[in-house]
Amino acid sequence: CVDHDYDTLDLRLTMTSADDPTTDRPSTIKRYRKNGRYAAGYRQLEYLLTNKICASNQHLQRLTGGGAWVLRPCYSRAFGAQQQETTEYLKDGWEGGWEERFMKKMLYSQSHCDLACMRALPKNLTDSMGMVSRVEEELNLWKERNDYNINASTGEGLLIVDLCGGKGLTGLCLSEMLPEARIVVIDSRKPNPNEKHLSEEYLARETNMSRLTGTIFDDKLLSQIPSWVPEGGSCLLIGTHLCGILAKHAMSIFEHYDEIKCLIVAPCCLPRAAPHWERKHSDLVRPGEGWAWGCDTTVQARERNVDPYEYWVDRLLDSAVARDKRVVVDPEMLSEKNRFILLNK
């Protein structure tokens, strides 16, 4: 659900500036397209990396290391011979981290070409990094409180289930950051042939992530969650920009399974009339009406003269059954839907 104009951001605006990092630096890399072919021209990823938003936005700065404006070995092949020859690469600890590994795959791997060409790439990356930051913060809290038998650095003993995970961008980031965790991405859409990063062969060979096709209402699929949890481990349930009643149902899943110790969900658009596959869930739908729980949020928000989205987040939080519950606002996300609900048992 794209709620922002960032999918139309002109990432070419910086290309004519005098300090453009690509000036007089011909590319030495073949950039793969979705169809499997390659060309020398820039994709969405290269336009993003040459935009100064990579230095001004904290999520993009962390993931890209500041972008092509910063001299780094990672970008030498992609942005010209002058970077390859320099001996003045910045050394600030970014190299060797999971972020560099991920950016190398985005830039140079044919398996990630679909992600490199993704529309609204800046928004999608900040959405994913917002969730990654919340997971990281939560695992550090677990470590401080010694709550669960989890290695917060490697993810050993941890299962992360990403509901409505789409193209798997968040899951792939978490897979790089937590190499010993088990990552399961669930989405109702089957991967298309261009999404080579989601093929079973690639995921089994290169990652600790799997992607399953199913809906958030697939009880048979979700009932397998306890069997996915590593022995003696715990489960963290996440969902980024879950539309309408999906956010509420994610909370029901969290409450139903004891193995799920934490839920991190970023709600998106407000609920409307429930489609047929929601109507059978009596706990979410008014009996005999087919209207989803919370469908009157906009009306109530207007009566109270408050923002409907903020009021929707507050209603979800108030309805949650959890030992600890809170809302975190992430101003570095490029989406206006930048609130996370965190629940702990």
Side-chain angles (χ1 to χ4, degrees):
C1 179
V2 177
D3 56 14
H4 202 58
D5 291 336
Y6 221 81
D7 59 330
T8 59
L9 173 70
D10 187 359
L11 294 176
R12 297 167 178 78
L13 290 176
T14 61
M15 300 308 295
T16 58
S17 69
D19 54 351
D20 177 5
T22 63
T23 302
D24 297 323
R25 297 177 185 175
S27 172
T28 59
I29 189 67
K30 297 176 181 177
R31 299 186 174 94
Y32 289 99
R33 265 50 184 181
K34 293 182 180 181
N35 59 10
R37 299 181 180 181
Y38 57 83
Y42 280 9
R43 303 165 297 180
Q44 286 296 308
L45 177 61
E46 283 77 23
Y47 283 120
L48 170 61
L49 290 171
T50 55
N51 192 293
K52 288 188 176 180
I53 194 174
C54 287
S56 61
N57 180 277
Q58 291 183 14
H59 287 323
L60 294 177
Q61 196 281 332
R62 175 185 176 182
L63 185 63
T64 68
W69 302 93
V70 181
L71 292 177
R72 297 188 184 279
C74 174
Y75 300 132
S76 61
R77 289 172 57 204
F79 296 100
Q82 289 188 16
Q83 280 208 353
Q84 284 184 304
E85 296 169 359
T86 186
T87 58
E88 299 178 356
Y89 291 126
L90 179 65
K91 298 180 180 179
D92 58 356
W94 186 78
E95 282 74 17
W98 73 264
E99 297 91 345
E100 184 197 31
R101 295 195 301 272
F102 182 76
M103 289 310 303
K104 283 183 176 179
K105 291 177 181 178
M106 288 279 285
L107 275 168
Y108 305 120
S109 173
Q110 187 175 3
S111 63
H112 284 56
C113 61
D114 183 78
L115 296 177
C117 298
M118 184 190 298
R119 288 187 63 215
L121 184 60
K123 172 188 175 297
N124 285 305
L125 287 176
T126 58
D127 288 348
S128 292
M129 287 302 293
M131 179 59 75
V132 167
S133 297
R134 303 290 84 73
V135 171
E136 192 174 43
E137 291 165 2
E138 197 61 33
L139 292 182
N140 287 332
L141 286 175
W142 288 9
K143 181 179 179 180
E144 291 176 8
R145 298 191 301 237
N146 197 27
D147 278 354
Y148 307 110
N149 187 27
I150 301 296
N151 187 318
S153 300
T154 67
E156 182 182 3
L158 178 66
L159 166 69
I160 298 179
V161 178
D162 185 5
L163 300 174
C164 306
K167 287 181 176 289
L169 188 56
T170 301
L172 289 171
C173 288
L174 290 170
S175 176
E176 294 287 348
M177 184 176 76
L178 301 168
E180 296 183 24
R182 181 176 183 183
I183 315 293
V184 178
V185 176
I186 298 175
D187 196 81
S188 60
R189 178 185 61 85
K190 292 183 178 180
N192 66 58
N194 292 330
E195 295 172 326
K196 299 177 179 63
H197 63 286
L198 294 180
S199 69
E200 291 184 8
E201 179 184 0
Y202 175 80
L203 293 176
R205 184 182 70 247
E206 300 289 341
T207 75
N208 54 335
M209 176 179 129
S210 57
R211 187 184 188 277
L212 304 177
T213 301
T215 75
I216 194 172
F217 294 96
D218 189 339
D219 295 333
K220 184 177 180 180
L221 176 62
L222 296 174
S223 66
Q224 300 178 49
I225 289 178
S227 66
W228 298 339
V229 179
E231 185 177 356
S234 299
C235 174
L236 196 160
L237 187 67
I238 65 174
T240 305
H241 286 167
L242 299 189
C243 294
I245 203 63
L246 300 183
K248 175 62 176 174
H249 193 59
M251 294 167 60
S252 299
I253 297 170
F254 162 77
E255 295 166 6
H256 182 74
Y257 294 99
D258 293 337
E259 292 81 3
I260 302 176
K261 305 302 182 183
C262 175
L263 169 69
I264 306 176
V265 61
C268 193
C269 50
L270 277 60
R272 301 174 182 174
H276 69 278
W277 42 266
E278 289 181 15
R279 291 175 183 167
K280 65 179 182 180
H281 295 270
S282 59
D283 58 327
L284 300 176
V285 180
R286 295 178 181 176
E289 294 185 13
W291 288 90
W293 179 91
C295 65
D296 56 348
T297 297
T298 299
V299 174
Q300 291 195 25
R302 288 172 179 170
E303 291 174 352
R304 291 166 171 77
N305 196 29
V306 295
D307 179 78
Y309 172 68
E310 294 181 12
Y311 184 62
W312 171 234
V313 173
D314 290 341
R315 290 191 74 180
L316 287 169
L317 186 69
D318 290 342
S319 70
V321 178
R323 172 178 58 86
D324 174 51
K325 53 184 180 179
R326 64 190 188 278
V327 171
V328 174
V329 181
D330 189 338
E332 295 302 312
M333 289 174 63
L334 298 178
S335 169
E336 295 175 353
K337 307 296 195 301
N338 60 354
R339 282 164 168 73
F340 291 86
I341 295 175
L342 290 89
L343 308 179
N344 275 280
K345 290 179 178 174

